[in-house]
Amino acid sequence: MNEKKFKTLMALGFIGLIIGSWGMGSRLIFGHASVNYGSYVPWGLWVVFYLFFVGLTAGAFLITIMTYMFQVERLKTVGRLSAFTVLVALICELIFISLDLGHMERLYRFMITPSFTSLMTWFVIFTNLMLLIYLLESFFLLREDLIRLSQAETLKTHKIYRLLALGKTDYTEEDRKRDQLRVHRLSIISLPVGLLFYGTNGAFFAILQNRPIWNSAMTPLLFIAAALLSGGALITALIYVFHEDEDLVKPLGQVILYLLVIFILLEVLQFFVGYQSKVTGIVTSLNIIAFGRHWWTFWIIHLFFGTLIPLILLIRYSDTPRSVAWACFLIVVTFVTVRFNFLIPDLAIYKLDGLEYTFFHQRLRTNYIPSLMEWLVSLWIISFGLVVFLAGARWLPVHSPGKVRGKQGSATWCNILNSSGLESGKGGEEHA
């Protein structure tokens, strides 16, 4: 990413933080007073974005598994970037779901009074385990170059790098071997933890019997396919933007094409089976998706911009990395509507006939539209994630030295080392 694009995106991130601060302040001071969800639609926009970010972690998660567990040499240039992407996406999803809780200050009670028969407990456990694993993995991947950056005393921020390296000032061959072994072991641990993490999220919806679309054996399968598609598209677009690795973008584009076709087939199957079942709740939910007030999110944003155009780009211009990256970008940004149409229509059905005529209150309605405060909070969290990711991608050694050198401006970590006479480490090349 060149300097101009970096500054533009960084400026957009800070503008989003400033504008979204009003909503975030309102949420922290007044709680849920300004939200539009209620008793019949208890989950709103923040759960939609939570599911969105859960999916975004999946592609980068698979890349780290293949890189550091199965030692796939071709992917080592993007291993660090993938681990950092998982970490930032996990942080964003945790902020979203924490703000959705009525009393987020009581979150610690999940840990001190767990109920192991509850999926919610396992959800909290696996989410925190994933965060801990990727925090440690990112640290051990970056530590050698963080130490080298801390030694560049001409650099004003060298003390910050020393703090990030936890005060360690030297790095030996033994340290490098130990860190590589730690990363390998963490990757092995992350495989079952990650599968259970994604499985728990799908099962969380599938076991709810009074939710006609969610309560299906297809739900976990759709969750996995959706996560692989959106997460794979994200990491492919990031590889193009930050690494300009055309040799890697093109084959990943073919994988995304197959995943997109599989996901669409699963969606078609979901509609076909749902309408054939003639179950009132299922048919009503599907009608809300296709013909309800938010029909345009399904037909125009998801199917046209998020499916048809990417399909054309991935099939007709598969040899052009820029087209592949644009296709992946469209898939990612439009995937929010997929999560929205999964969550809201099933909640938008009254579970008892005549219930809408019995109680009258704005929180006792199913025609949910997110409030301004919900949008502003979402803007703040997304902007926060953007700023953190851009800052990390610019000033932390999350890129392969061979790819980043000389391509991303004078302020990148690799160029800082070079200007200080400190070459990036051997471990950096190996880790990367």
Side-chain angles (χ1 to χ4, degrees):
M1 177 180 290
N2 60 39
E3 197 73 13
K4 185 179 179 181
K5 290 179 181 175
F6 171 77
K7 288 181 178 177
T8 302
L9 288 175
M10 207 58 155
L12 287 175
F14 277 108
I15 291 171
L17 281 175
I18 293 169
I19 296 174
S21 294
W22 185 87
M24 181 60 83
S26 175
R27 167 63 185 90
L28 295 177
I29 296 171
F30 302 110
H32 290 245
S34 301
V35 300
N36 276 354
Y37 51 79
S39 298
Y40 299 161
V41 182
W43 293 336
L45 188 66
W46 299 336
V47 177
V48 170
F49 276 111
Y50 161 76
L51 295 174
F52 176 68
F53 277 96
V54 167
L56 293 187
T57 62
F61 165 74
L62 278 181
I63 294 286
T64 59
I65 292 294
M66 294 175 71
T67 305
Y68 300 115
M69 181 177 170
F70 296 108
Q71 305 294 320
V72 178
E73 290 290 330
R74 185 66 188 86
L75 296 175
K76 285 193 173 180
T77 55
V78 296
R80 292 185 187 192
L81 180 67
S82 301
F84 186 64
T85 302
V86 174
L87 189 59
V88 175
L90 279 171
I91 291 171
C92 288
E93 74 172 58
L94 274 175
I95 298 175
F96 268 115
I97 204 63
S98 298
L99 291 172
D100 186 74
L101 298 176
H103 290 279
M104 57 183 178
E105 73 278 4
R106 299 177 186 171
L107 193 59
Y108 72 95
R109 294 181 67 84
F110 277 110
M111 306 307 292
I112 63 172
T113 58
S115 172
F116 293 109
T117 58
S118 168
L119 269 180
M120 185 66 83
T121 297
W122 290 107
F123 156 75
V124 173
I125 290 173
F126 289 128
T127 302
N128 283 286
L129 278 176
M130 282 286 282
L131 187 63
L132 179 62
I133 288 170
Y134 276 92
L135 196 61
L136 291 172
E137 189 168 318
S138 298
F139 173 71
F140 291 126
L141 282 169
L142 308 186
R143 183 160 69 158
E144 179 176 0
D145 285 314
L146 287 175
I147 293 171
R148 289 178 178 276
L149 285 163
S150 72
Q151 293 170 347
E153 295 190 355
T154 55
L155 186 65
K156 291 181 181 177
T157 55
H158 74 279
K159 289 185 179 178
I160 296 176
Y161 287 116
R162 183 168 298 171
L163 184 65
L164 292 174
L166 300 182
K168 190 174 175 60
T169 56
D170 60 331
Y171 197 83
T172 64
E173 187 63 29
E174 286 299 315
D175 291 327
R176 183 177 300 124
K177 290 179 180 175
R178 278 199 292 269
D179 281 353
Q180 289 173 355
L181 183 61
R182 286 165 178 155
V183 169
H184 179 65
R185 287 176 176 170
L186 284 168
S187 298
I188 293 173
I189 296 171
S190 72
L191 180 59
V193 172
L195 292 176
L196 289 168
F197 166 71
Y198 294 112
T200 303
N201 276 278
F204 197 77
F205 292 91
I207 62 171
L208 299 176
Q209 293 185 354
N210 66 336
R211 300 297 178 187
I213 291 185
W214 301 350
N215 185 223
S216 165
M218 283 190 65
T219 299
L221 190 59
L222 273 168
F223 253 75
I224 293 171
L228 291 176
L229 175 59
S230 60
L234 174 68
I235 197 64
T236 305
L238 290 178
I239 289 170
Y240 175 78
V241 172
F242 288 100
H243 281 259
E244 301 177 6
D245 192 337
E246 297 184 2
D247 293 337
L248 193 54
V249 169
K250 285 189 284 188
L252 284 176
Q254 291 299 301
V255 175
I256 299 302
L257 173 62
Y258 294 130
L259 288 173
L260 182 57
V261 172
I262 291 171
F263 182 73
I264 292 302
L265 289 176
L266 286 175
E267 277 198 322
V268 171
L269 195 61
Q270 183 188 35
F271 272 80
F272 177 76
V273 173
Y275 278 118
Q276 288 299 313
S277 70
K278 294 182 172 53
V279 176
T280 303
I282 296 177
V283 173
T284 306
S285 295
L286 295 176
N287 283 338
I288 290 174
I289 294 173
F291 311 111
R293 65 162 61 189
H294 303 297
W295 63 270
W296 53 275
T297 62
F298 178 72
W299 293 102
I300 299 177
I301 297 182
H302 170 45
L303 289 183
F304 182 74
F305 288 107
T307 302
L308 182 60
I309 293 180
L311 275 176
I312 294 172
L313 291 173
L314 291 171
I315 293 172
R316 190 166 182 179
Y317 304 102
S318 60
D319 291 333
T320 309
R322 180 185 290 269
S323 300
V324 173
W326 268 108
C328 292
F329 174 75
L330 284 173
I331 292 172
V332 172
V333 297
T334 60
F335 218 78
V336 176
T337 60
V338 176
R339 299 306 193 182
F340 182 86
N341 282 320
F342 170 78
L343 186 74
I344 301 303
D346 223 1
L347 296 170
I349 303 172
Y350 290 102
K351 302 306 176 188
L352 292 174
D353 289 338
L355 189 60
E356 65 270 35
Y357 307 113
T358 306
F359 302 103
F360 295 90
H361 191 277
Q362 62 177 3
R363 298 289 182 89
L364 300 176
R365 288 291 177 268
T366 60
N367 53 346
Y368 168 74
I369 295 178
S371 68
L372 177 62
M373 188 270 272
E374 290 174 69
W375 282 111
L376 289 176
V377 169
S378 303
L379 176 65
W380 191 94
I381 299 172
I382 293 169
S383 301
F384 172 77
L386 177 65
V387 169
V388 170
F389 186 84
L390 288 173
R394 174 54 62 103
W395 292 298
L396 292 179
V398 300
H399 297 289
S400 165
K403 294 292 182 186
V404 76
R405 187 174 289 126
K407 287 187 173 183
Q408 301 187 40
S410 58
T412 58
W413 70 274
C414 191
N415 291 327
I416 290 170
L417 284 181
N418 292 336
S419 63
S420 304
L422 297 167
E423 282 289 336
S424 57
K426 178 184 176 183
E429 302 279 359
E430 290 175 354
H431 280 320

